[in-house]
Amino acid sequence: MTAPYEIRQGASPIILGFPHTGTEVPPAIYDRLNDNGRILADTDWHIHHLYEGLLDSVTMVRATFHRYVIDANRDPQRVSLYPGQNTTGLVPETDFDGKPIWKDGQAPDEADIAARLRDFHAPYHAALAAEIERVRAIHGVAILYDCHSIRSHIPFLFEGKLPDFNVGTDMGKTCDSAIEQATLTVVQAAQGYDSVLNGRFKGGWTTRHYGRPETGVHAIQMELAQSTHLQTEAPPFAYDTAKAGMLRVHLKDILVRIEQIAPGLKR
């Protein structure tokens, strides 16, 4: 079985987290998915490639398993991130369109969920937490930049079109305001793109769990509309090199700016 995570260690104060780019589904779980589930439509397609090489010596922690196995960006206690709004859970029963992803009678039960927490969710977060501690020991500060993407139109989750850049800091709780402002400076000036701070996506469980500025650990989530870097937001979800190239300029600017202000964030 493929290891549940990949790590690339670097010397930068920034850690890139990738909880949703994995497409690995163990055969025993894949057999229980229905035809709709097997499309794996809710993947954060190509995001780890989008960020590749943008910042020298950055640490990267990536989940290799698909979110239909278990969602690495959900509370293991299953507390909803957005009470009262449509969302998907720790082990999703539906896709982002509200359509079932499991064969009849094959949805995961409590024993399945417990096993997946043990075998996938917990190891990924143990690895991520260890890298945060390693980086904080080096710099006195660690900045987790959690990388995400989603289709720009999903009526089940939100009305209308999602902005291109969706910055989430749980209303400023998960990072120093300087990190938030550095990110906003770039996205608000990016011509041809729109952006929002703490809109529909305010930062997932990862951002909220690790972001404790008072301890020297800061976290920020970037949710990108997939229209910014895919040829189409439908199968085969192909990467658009030209679109991605334009987007990467702004993503690099964000990361460089955050890295530059990191020394001033030490407790």
Side-chain angles (χ1 to χ4, degrees):
M1 183 176 70
T2 303
Y5 58 84
E6 298 174 344
I7 293 177
R8 183 188 305 168
Q9 291 185 330
S12 171
I14 296 177
I15 299 135
L16 301 181
F18 299 96
H20 291 153
T21 68
T23 55
E24 295 291 331
V25 181
I29 296 176
Y30 186 82
D31 287 346
R32 296 167 64 175
L33 289 168
N34 62 24
D35 289 343
N36 181 51
R38 292 179 181 185
I39 297 171
L40 305 182
D42 300 330
T43 307
D44 289 14
W45 296 103
H46 311 293
I47 287 294
H48 53 306
H49 298 305
L50 184 68
Y51 282 89
E52 181 69 32
L54 292 183
L55 194 66
D56 292 339
S57 198
V58 71
T59 294
M60 302 173 68
V61 183
R62 185 177 87 90
T64 57
F65 54 92
H66 194 264
R67 70 190 306 158
Y68 291 171
V69 176
I70 192 167
D71 194 325
N73 198 36
R74 294 291 185 272
D75 188 332
Q77 301 302 316
R78 291 184 261 186
V79 176
S80 177
L81 294 170
Y82 301 101
Q85 299 185 59
N86 286 339
T87 187
T88 54
L90 180 63
V91 176
E93 294 184 5
T94 70
D95 65 11
F96 286 163
D97 295 315
K99 298 176 181 177
I101 59 173
W102 303 100
K103 294 177 181 177
D104 290 345
Q106 294 294 306
D109 59 19
E110 290 300 314
D112 293 322
I113 294 172
R116 297 182 197 187
L117 276 168
R118 179 195 66 220
D119 296 340
F120 298 95
H121 193 285
Y124 170 75
H125 282 285
L128 182 57
E131 288 307 302
I132 290 171
E133 289 306 306
R134 182 185 66 83
V135 168
R136 182 168 60 171
I138 295 170
H139 296 282
V141 63
I143 302 171
L144 173 60
Y145 180 102
D146 214 36
C147 308
H148 296 261
S149 74
I150 194 168
R151 285 177 284 145
S152 59
H153 291 87
I154 306 180
F156 182 70
L157 298 184
F158 50 82
E159 295 181 359
K161 177 191 175 297
L162 193 72
D164 300 314
F165 294 101
N166 299 267
V167 181
T169 64
D170 195 21
M171 310 308 290
K173 298 174 187 176
T174 64
C175 68
D176 189 279
S177 60
I179 296 172
E180 188 179 85
Q181 189 55 53
T183 304
L184 290 179
T185 296
V186 176
V187 300
Q188 290 175 348
Q191 293 188 1
Y193 299 91
D194 53 5
S195 60
V196 67
L197 171 65
N198 292 315
R200 172 60 178 84
F201 298 99
K202 298 176 173 62
W205 183 77
T206 302
T207 303
R208 302 184 200 192
H209 177 69
Y210 293 104
R212 299 287 184 271
E214 68 277 6
T215 71
V217 179
H218 304 261
I220 187 168
Q221 176 175 303
M222 178 63 79
E223 185 91 51
L224 298 168
Q226 291 181 345
S227 56
T228 61
H229 56 280
L230 297 187
Q231 293 178 18
T232 176
E233 296 182 336
F237 307 104
Y239 191 67
D240 189 312
T241 303
K243 283 184 181 179
M246 292 186 289
L247 181 62
R248 279 168 54 85
V249 172
H250 303 299
L251 297 176
K252 180 180 178 67
D253 195 2
I254 292 169
L255 295 178
V256 169
R257 287 171 184 254
I258 293 175
E259 187 176 57
Q260 288 173 343
I261 65 176
L265 301 176
K266 293 181 182 179
R267 290 176 295 154

Coordinates of all heavy atoms in Angstrom, one line a residue, residues 26 30 37 46 50 53 61 70 72-73 84 86 107 130 133 140 162 171 217 219 223 226 245 248 251:
P26 N -7.3 2.5 -1.7 CA -7.0 1.1 -1.6 C -8.1 0.3 -2.4 O -9.3 0.7 -2.3 CB -7.0 0.9 -0.1 CG -6.7 2.2 0.5 CD -7.3 3.2 -0.4
Y30 N -12.0 1.2 -3.0 CA -12.4 1.5 -4.4 C -13.6 0.7 -4.8 O -14.5 1.2 -5.5 CB -11.2 1.4 -5.3 CG -11.5 1.9 -6.7 CD1 -11.3 3.2 -7.0 CD2 -11.8 1.0 -7.7 CE1 -11.6 3.7 -8.3 CE2 -12.0 1.4 -9.0 CZ -11.9 2.8 -9.3 OH -12.2 3.2 -10.6
G37 N -18.6 7.9 -7.7 CA -17.5 8.1 -6.7 C -16.1 7.8 -7.4 O -15.1 8.5 -7.0
H46 N -3.9 18.7 -9.3 CA -2.6 19.2 -9.7 C -2.1 20.3 -8.8 O -1.1 21.0 -9.2 CB -2.7 19.8 -11.2 CG -3.3 18.8 -12.2 ND1 -2.7 17.6 -12.5 CD2 -4.5 18.9 -12.8 CE1 -3.5 17.0 -13.4 NE2 -4.6 17.7 -13.6
L50 N 1.3 22.7 -9.2 CA 1.1 24.2 -9.3 C 2.1 24.9 -8.5 O 2.7 26.0 -8.9 CB -0.3 24.6 -9.0 CG -0.7 26.1 -9.2 CD1 -0.7 26.4 -10.7 CD2 -2.0 26.3 -8.5
G53 N 8.4 24.3 -7.0 CA 9.5 25.2 -7.4 C 9.3 26.6 -7.2 O 10.1 27.5 -7.6
V61 N 4.3 18.8 2.8 CA 3.7 17.6 3.3 C 2.4 17.3 2.6 O 1.5 18.2 2.6 CB 3.4 17.7 4.8 CG1 2.8 16.4 5.4 CG2 4.6 18.1 5.6
I70 N -10.7 9.2 3.4 CA -11.0 10.0 4.6 C -10.5 11.4 4.3 O -9.5 11.6 3.6 CB -10.4 9.4 5.9 CG1 -11.0 10.1 7.1 CG2 -8.9 9.5 5.9 CD1 -10.7 9.4 8.4
A72 N -8.6 14.5 5.1 CA -7.5 15.0 6.0 C -7.7 16.4 6.5 O -7.0 16.8 7.4 CB -6.2 14.9 5.3
N73 N -8.7 17.1 5.9 CA -9.0 18.5 6.4 C -10.3 18.6 7.1 O -10.9 19.6 7.1 CB -9.0 19.4 5.1 CG -8.8 20.9 5.5 OD1 -8.1 21.2 6.5 ND2 -9.4 21.8 4.8
G84 N -24.7 24.6 9.6 CA -25.9 25.2 8.9 C -25.7 25.2 7.4 O -26.7 25.6 6.7
N86 N -24.3 23.4 3.7 CA -23.9 22.1 3.0 C -22.4 22.0 3.0 O -21.7 22.9 2.7 CB -24.5 22.1 1.6 CG -26.0 21.9 1.6 OD1 -26.6 21.4 2.5 ND2 -26.6 22.2 0.5
A107 N -21.7 2.2 2.1 CA -21.1 3.4 2.8 C -20.4 3.0 4.0 O -20.7 2.0 4.7 CB -22.2 4.4 3.1
A130 N 4.9 17.1 13.1 CA 6.3 17.0 13.3 C 7.1 18.0 12.4 O 8.1 18.6 12.9 CB 6.7 15.6 12.9
E133 N 6.8 21.4 14.0 CA 7.7 21.5 15.2 C 9.2 21.7 14.8 O 10.0 22.4 15.4 CB 7.5 20.4 16.1 CG 6.2 20.4 16.9 CD 6.0 21.7 17.6 OE1 6.9 22.1 18.4 OE2 5.0 22.4 17.4
G140 N 12.0 29.7 15.2 CA 11.3 30.3 16.2 C 9.9 30.6 15.8 O 9.1 31.1 16.6
L162 N -17.4 31.2 -7.5 CA -16.4 31.4 -6.4 C -15.3 32.3 -6.9 O -14.9 32.2 -8.1 CB -15.8 30.0 -6.0 CG -15.0 30.0 -4.7 CD1 -16.0 30.1 -3.5 CD2 -14.2 28.7 -4.6
M171 N -11.3 34.3 10.3 CA -11.5 35.7 10.7 C -10.4 36.3 11.5 O -10.5 37.0 12.5 CB -12.8 35.7 11.6 CG -14.0 35.1 11.0 SD -14.4 35.6 9.3 CE -14.9 37.3 9.6
V217 N 3.1 29.5 15.8 CA 2.7 28.7 14.7 C 1.5 29.5 14.0 O 0.5 29.7 14.6 CB 2.2 27.3 15.1 CG1 1.7 26.5 13.8 CG2 3.4 26.6 15.7
A219 N -1.1 29.8 10.5 CA -1.7 29.0 9.4 C -2.6 29.9 8.6 O -3.3 30.7 9.1 CB -2.4 27.8 10.0
E223 N -7.6 28.7 -1.0 CA -8.5 27.9 -1.9 C -8.6 28.6 -3.2 O -9.1 29.7 -3.3 CB -9.9 27.9 -1.2 CG -10.8 26.9 -1.9 CD -10.8 25.5 -1.4 OE1 -10.9 25.3 -0.2 OE2 -10.7 24.6 -2.2
Q226 N -10.6 26.3 -9.5 CA -9.9 25.5 -10.5 C -9.9 26.0 -11.9 O -9.1 25.7 -12.7 CB -10.5 24.1 -10.5 CG -10.2 23.3 -9.2 CD -10.7 21.9 -9.1 OE1 -11.5 21.5 -9.9 NE2 -10.2 21.2 -8.1
G245 N 0.8 29.0 -15.5 CA 2.0 29.9 -15.6 C 1.7 31.3 -15.1 O 2.5 31.9 -14.4
R248 N 1.0 31.1 -11.2 CA 2.2 30.9 -10.4 C 3.0 32.1 -10.1 O 3.6 32.2 -9.0 CB 3.1 29.9 -11.2 CG 2.6 28.4 -11.0 CD 3.4 27.5 -12.0 NE 4.8 27.5 -11.9 CZ 5.6 26.9 -11.0 NH1 5.0 26.1 -10.2 NH2 6.9 27.0 -11.1
L251 N 1.3 33.4 -7.0 CA 1.5 32.5 -5.9 C 2.9 32.6 -5.3 O 3.2 32.6 -4.1 CB 1.2 31.0 -6.3 CG -0.3 30.7 -6.7 CD1 -0.4 29.3 -7.1 CD2 -1.2 31.0 -5.5

